[in-house]
Amino acid sequence: MPHDITAILVKLGDSGQTIAAAEQDVRGRHVLDADGDDLGKVDDLLIDREEHKVRFLRVEHGGVLGIGATATFIPVEAVSDVTDDTVRVDLTRQKIEQAPTYDPEVVEEIGYYEDVYWYYGYAPFFNPSGVAPPYPVPPTRR
């Protein structure tokens, strides 16, 4: 039976949790696509409150000084490499730009997250075949 993800996914910044080792926190790092192009920065992480696992990167791009920036959610299954300054994903800019858009006034979260997983070709974590990837490191309680 699937999780009720609307009750358990929350931004790490709003969760009261943190990454155990500060150097493993990917927030603020540049995100590079499969071709090495800069997609923006990791603004926050969506975590599974019950399992303490990161499920999505919230990547902010565009805008000026954060004003007018657009947020895109990328499943952590797409992360292929993490360095001190960057997070590389196995997706192209074009694929990410055409992803389902998130508007909290319009979309139902559970349907949106499921759509994003299937759009990118990954089984949702709340699907019995979903498997947690090795990146990024899971958060811990404060």
Side-chain angles (χ1 to χ4, degrees):
M1 179 125 196
H3 288 299
D4 176 12
I5 66 167
T6 58
I8 58 174
L9 281 188
V10 63
K11 285 191 220 174
L12 179 62
D14 297 339
S15 72
Q17 298 181 22
T18 187
I19 302 295
E23 67 275 3
Q24 295 177 336
D25 189 346
V26 299
R27 290 176 292 177
R29 295 183 193 184
H30 286 273
V31 179
L32 304 178
D33 73 358
D35 298 323
D37 295 328
D38 191 351
L39 299 172
K41 286 189 177 184
V42 178
D43 174 57
D44 213 335
L45 305 169
L46 278 161
I47 62 164
D48 180 331
R49 228 184 236 188
E50 288 181 9
E51 296 185 24
H52 307 287
K53 294 181 180 177
V54 177
R55 301 298 187 181
F56 288 96
L57 304 176
R58 183 178 187 275
V59 179
E60 226 175 55
H61 49 92
V64 177
L65 300 175
I67 299 170
T70 303
T72 301
F73 293 94
I74 299 175
V76 295
E77 288 83 355
V79 175
S80 61
D81 189 38
V82 176
T83 69
D84 289 344
D85 301 321
T86 63
V87 175
R88 183 177 291 268
V89 295
D90 283 337
L91 303 166
T92 64
R93 173 183 297 280
Q94 180 181 10
K95 183 77 171 175
I96 292 168
E97 287 175 348
Q98 295 173 358
T101 56
Y102 179 74
D103 181 347
E105 303 293 322
V106 177
V107 301
E108 179 185 339
E109 285 183 356
I110 191 164
Y112 171 75
Y113 296 134
E114 186 171 18
D115 289 349
V116 170
Y117 270 105
W118 293 124
Y119 170 78
Y120 287 123
Y122 301 107
F125 72 91
F126 45 89
N127 179 323
S129 66
V131 177
Y135 301 110
V137 175
T140 59
R141 294 181 186 176
R142 283 187 190 169

